[in-house]
Amino acid sequence: MTKYGFLGLGIMGRAMASNLVKAGFEVSVWNRTPNKCAPLVEMGARQAGSPREVAATCDITFAMLADPAAATAVVLGPDGVQAGIGDGRGYVDMSTVDAETSAAIETAIRQAGGRFLEAPVSGTKKPAEDGTLIILAAGDQSLYEQALSAFDKMGKLSPYLGETGQAAHMKLVVNMIMGGMMTAFCEGLSLGQKSGLDGQQILDIFMAGALANPMFAGKGAMILQGKYPTSFPLQHMQKDLRLAIALGDKFAQPLSSAAAANETFKRARQLGLSDEDFAAVFKAIDGKR
Ligand code: NAP
């Protein structure tokens, strides 16, 4: 039976690893803050002491980590994945990072004798819990095919996009648009309310027309209630905008709305909103806290 590993049990990783355990797979887990492994262990997962141990004992190790620094540290750091992987075992990094970080991780894994796939996901906490993520895969095709039965438990669609870097690019394009949409939406909602309109009525009118989409519906309700339970941490959206803008720099491509959105998300971080849901960027725009 294929042995799976999972590194990083934050909002997304915990839900994704749970779906592998629920499917009856043999799963070893590791998290930097070890007590976050407890719910998975209760479900039947095995807790490992280091990324190295997971990579050395599992056929395929998945990772879902915060950002490029975290993704790199878990592979190259002391007792990291690089020290344990080998013999063609697989490493699948599902974190959202830039293509350069992904390429550096791929090099480290291949030098150690492993195979590498990048597989960032589209979809947030609820799709992660429901196993309905969109998994964007690129890199080693044999590993992609081998990982498909696990992807099927975590997601509803797992397109293969080609060489390493292509999935990172796709993911950054998606989130760049999402960040820009969110700031435009918040600006409209805030301006409408300040001009005397009712928030719910604004939302209802948006939802009846061409502006309707699930993100505006869900996040709009959150904003009107003034409660921001975290599905997608605001600091990660700002990271994705930063990485998308850096990608635009490479092609001298103007990204005016993404750059403006990035500034607004940076302001929100300054206001201490990093760990709230990214919809809390509303507070940085509206000015009332
Ligand atoms: P999260 O809840 O903040 O979890 C981050 C994870 O990274 C935790 O396990 C954390 O460990 C670990 N970590 C952070 N720095 C580390 C380091 N230096 N060394 C080792 N581990 C480290 O984030 P999340 O929402 O699950 O997101 C994870 C990734 O998925 C991010 O790249 C994000 O952009 C992407 N993503 C998120 C969503 C979403 O809706 N939430 C959707 C799509 C993609 P500790 O527990 O020890 O802090």
Side-chain angles (χ1 to χ4, degrees):
M1 187 159 121
T2 307
K3 288 186 181 169
Y4 296 100
F6 210 105
L7 311 175
L9 303 172
I11 293 169
M12 297 296 282
R14 176 182 169 168
M16 293 157 73
S18 297
N19 282 331
L20 297 182
V21 179
K22 279 186 215 153
F25 294 153
E26 197 175 319
V27 184
S28 296
V29 295
W30 173 88
N31 193 68
R32 178 182 62 173
T33 308
N35 62 16
K36 289 197 193 165
C37 294
L40 272 297
V41 171
E42 247 169 62
M43 293 171 65
R46 176 183 158 276
Q47 182 169 355
S50 66
R52 172 191 185 146
E53 185 189 330
V54 176
T57 55
C58 296
D59 302 298
I60 303 181
T61 298
F62 297 99
M64 192 53 162
L65 301 156
D67 53 22
T72 305
V74 164
V75 172
L76 301 179
D79 267 339
V81 171
Q82 188 186 27
I85 204 140
D87 295 330
R89 287 191 293 280
Y91 186 63
V92 182
D93 191 354
M94 305 186 80
S95 325
T96 304
V97 299
D98 53 299
E100 288 73 20
T101 299
S102 215
I105 292 174
E106 177 178 49
T107 301
I109 297 295
R110 287 171 69 157
Q111 278 172 354
R115 289 174 298 150
F116 176 77
L117 192 71
E118 63 178 13
V121 307
S122 188
T124 185
K125 186 179 177 206
K126 181 79 169 52
E129 288 168 350
D130 295 345
T132 56
L133 293 167
I134 298 167
I135 299 171
L136 308 167
D140 189 306
Q141 200 159 0
S142 70
L143 179 54
Y144 168 73
E145 275 149 25
Q146 199 189 346
L148 272 177
S149 46
F151 285 165
D152 283 348
K153 303 298 174 196
M154 297 188 275
K156 63 177 177 186
L157 189 72
S158 310
Y160 179 74
L161 299 172
E163 64 187 33
T164 303
Q166 292 306 94
H169 293 154
M170 185 69 230
K171 173 63 189 168
L172 292 179
V173 167
V174 168
N175 273 28
M176 178 186 81
I177 296 171
M178 200 181 272
M181 281 173 68
M182 181 56 91
T183 51
F185 173 65
C186 290
E187 286 173 4
L189 195 54
S190 175
L191 184 62
Q193 286 179 299
K194 282 183 184 148
S195 353
L197 295 164
D198 174 68
Q200 188 58 55
Q201 211 165 20
I202 297 173
L203 204 55
D204 291 344
I205 291 165
F206 284 170
M207 288 312 127
L211 286 181
N213 69 65
M215 184 174 89
F216 288 178
K219 301 302 183 186
M222 217 184 220
I223 291 166
L224 293 185
Q225 284 166 18
K227 294 199 181 102
Y228 300 88
T230 311
S231 287
F232 182 30
L234 186 143
Q235 61 184 337
H236 294 339
M237 174 52 92
Q238 195 269 314
K239 173 251 312 177
D240 294 347
L241 285 165
R242 170 172 64 79
L243 297 177
I245 290 164
L247 182 60
D249 285 354
K250 261 177 74 175
F251 302 105
Q253 147 114 32
L255 295 174
S256 311
S257 45
N262 187 41
E263 294 306 313
T264 309
F265 276 95
K266 276 158 57 181
R267 175 71 185 134
R269 286 185 58 189
Q270 259 186 349
L271 292 171
L273 304 170
S274 288
D275 293 323
E276 294 194 29
D277 191 79
F278 80 114
V281 74
F282 180 81
K283 293 193 253 186
I285 290 166
D286 192 61
K288 289 187 226 122
R289 298 218 44 217

